[in-house]
Amino acid sequence: MPGKVVGTLRFAHPTTVKSSSSPASFELREKSNATSPGNVKRPLTLIATALLIGSHAAALATTCQFEAQGEGRVAAITDARSLRLDDGREVRLAGIEPTATTKQALTALLVGRDVSLYGSDDTPDRYGRQPALVFIRDSAKSAQALLLAQGEAIVSAEIADKDCAAALMAAEAEARRQKKGNWADPLAIKNAESPDDILAGMGRFMVVEGRVLSVRQAGAMTYLNFGRNWTRGFAVTISRRILPAFEGAGIALKSLENRQIRVRGWVEGNTGPRIDVRLVGQVELLDTSAPAGVRP
């Protein structure tokens, strides 16, 4: 079931609109990225598709404005969400968490390709990797969006820009709807009513769905409880310091009682499993019949 966060893939960058030579390069890219040997499209169809994308690119690319952070050619994929350019720079694909097949898909997608990097901050992480949205040259979609659309990655919710986050969420939602890649596994989304299944994934990034039975505050922490046994049931923890972010998004935590939500994050805890929510984007409302902040 798709969540509340929806949107169109709109990553604005200077390579969005190209000359008349773009359709030919797009045709080659589409053929090389076919998901199966039998998925060969006719050149005329591909050219028409490319022209359509080119004609609408300027209109679509009006949001998610990130600064250019350089270009390069991908020399190698160093792990499931990191790459090395031919000039030695290390890059981490921002906004996604990998699945079992991400590295293989990323290798097929990017190795040997010229790419452009975009982001809000090019400060390297503690491993020396530059976080960025990675675009294959002349492409209007990021590598992250392409991976998500095939179910080869999971949205991490780390990107704060609303439009960018919505675009990535939309790509993942479509893959979930079509049960592509990771989402073909019926256990890819954990049931909040089965805490033992979630606890078995301790230390892993997971997506969990369920109904919030109660919202309780203890000191500086708010707990969204999904089970009646607070010590063993699944719960989401939210620190007081990020409450303003939820309020700014129009979500009163108390209003989440009896609401069906989807939450994503790293599983931790000793007795009962927990996900610590640090970003509003980690929580999606699934029953949107009542407005956020208004108890149904």
Side-chain angles (χ1 to χ4, degrees):
M1 180 188 301
K4 185 180 181 181
V5 183
V6 295
T8 303
L9 294 174
R10 302 179 180 182
F11 294 100
H13 55 90
T15 60
T16 299
V17 182
K18 288 292 177 183
S19 66
S20 59
S21 63
S22 293
S25 62
F26 183 85
E27 177 185 342
L28 292 174
R29 182 164 61 252
E30 282 293 324
K31 287 184 178 180
S32 64
N33 288 342
T35 56
S36 65
N39 189 18
V40 179
K41 300 179 180 179
R42 295 182 179 180
L44 186 60
T45 302
L46 288 168
I47 292 174
T49 303
L51 290 173
L52 179 63
I53 290 176
S55 64
H56 289 283
L60 292 178
T62 57
T63 58
C64 192
Q65 301 283 351
F66 277 142
E67 294 182 3
Q69 294 181 349
E71 298 179 339
R73 175 163 292 185
V74 178
I77 303 302
T78 54
D79 64 37
R81 60 173 179 177
S82 303
L83 57 88
R84 184 174 65 253
L85 299 178
D86 56 2
D87 60 7
R89 279 178 294 166
E90 300 280 345
V91 179
R92 177 178 65 82
L93 274 72
I96 63 170
E97 290 293 338
T99 66
T101 59
T102 303
K103 186 175 183 180
Q104 181 180 359
L106 198 55
T107 299
L109 180 65
L110 292 183
V111 170
R113 308 298 293 274
D114 292 322
V115 298
S116 299
L117 311 178
Y118 292 84
S120 58
D121 185 1
D122 61 359
T123 303
D125 62 16
R126 60 179 176 172
Y127 302 107
R129 301 171 303 177
Q130 174 185 343
L133 287 170
V134 178
F135 289 82
I136 299 172
R137 186 169 294 175
D138 299 333
S139 175
K141 292 183 180 181
S142 68
Q144 285 92 324
L146 294 172
L147 289 171
L148 290 166
Q150 293 301 317
E152 306 288 3
I154 302 172
V155 172
S156 67
E158 70 178 289
I159 293 183
D161 182 276
K162 292 181 180 179
D163 295 311
C164 296
L168 295 181
M169 281 289 198
E172 182 194 280
E174 182 62 16
R176 284 200 314 269
R177 187 183 70 80
Q178 297 187 28
K179 293 181 170 52
K180 288 185 176 181
N182 177 65
W183 309 111
D185 182 356
L187 298 179
I189 298 179
K190 301 300 182 183
N191 186 338
E193 295 180 3
S194 302
D196 290 342
D197 290 344
I198 303 171
L199 197 60
M202 181 72 67
R204 291 171 49 198
F205 190 92
M206 283 191 169
V207 179
V208 180
E209 290 183 3
R211 186 169 297 279
V212 179
L213 297 185
S214 66
V215 178
R216 298 286 185 268
Q217 186 171 340
M221 197 69 69
T222 298
Y223 293 83
L224 309 184
N225 298 303
F226 292 77
R228 301 193 183 281
N229 186 328
W230 296 355
T231 60
R232 298 197 61 82
F234 173 66
V236 167
T237 57
I238 303 174
S239 171
R240 179 184 296 167
R241 67 178 179 275
I242 67 169
L243 290 183
F246 277 89
E247 293 169 357
I251 301 176
L253 294 185
K254 188 64 177 176
S255 74
L256 295 179
E257 281 190 352
N258 300 315
R259 302 291 295 275
Q260 192 82 11
I261 72 170
R262 179 186 299 124
V263 63
R264 63 189 65 222
W266 297 92
V267 176
E268 53 190 46
N270 295 320
T271 53
R274 303 282 186 272
I275 287 181
D276 185 24
V277 166
R278 298 185 175 94
L279 300 164
V280 176
Q282 289 178 251
V283 177
E284 297 173 81
L285 303 180
L286 299 183
D287 54 344
T288 56
S289 56
V294 178
R295 187 169 178 173

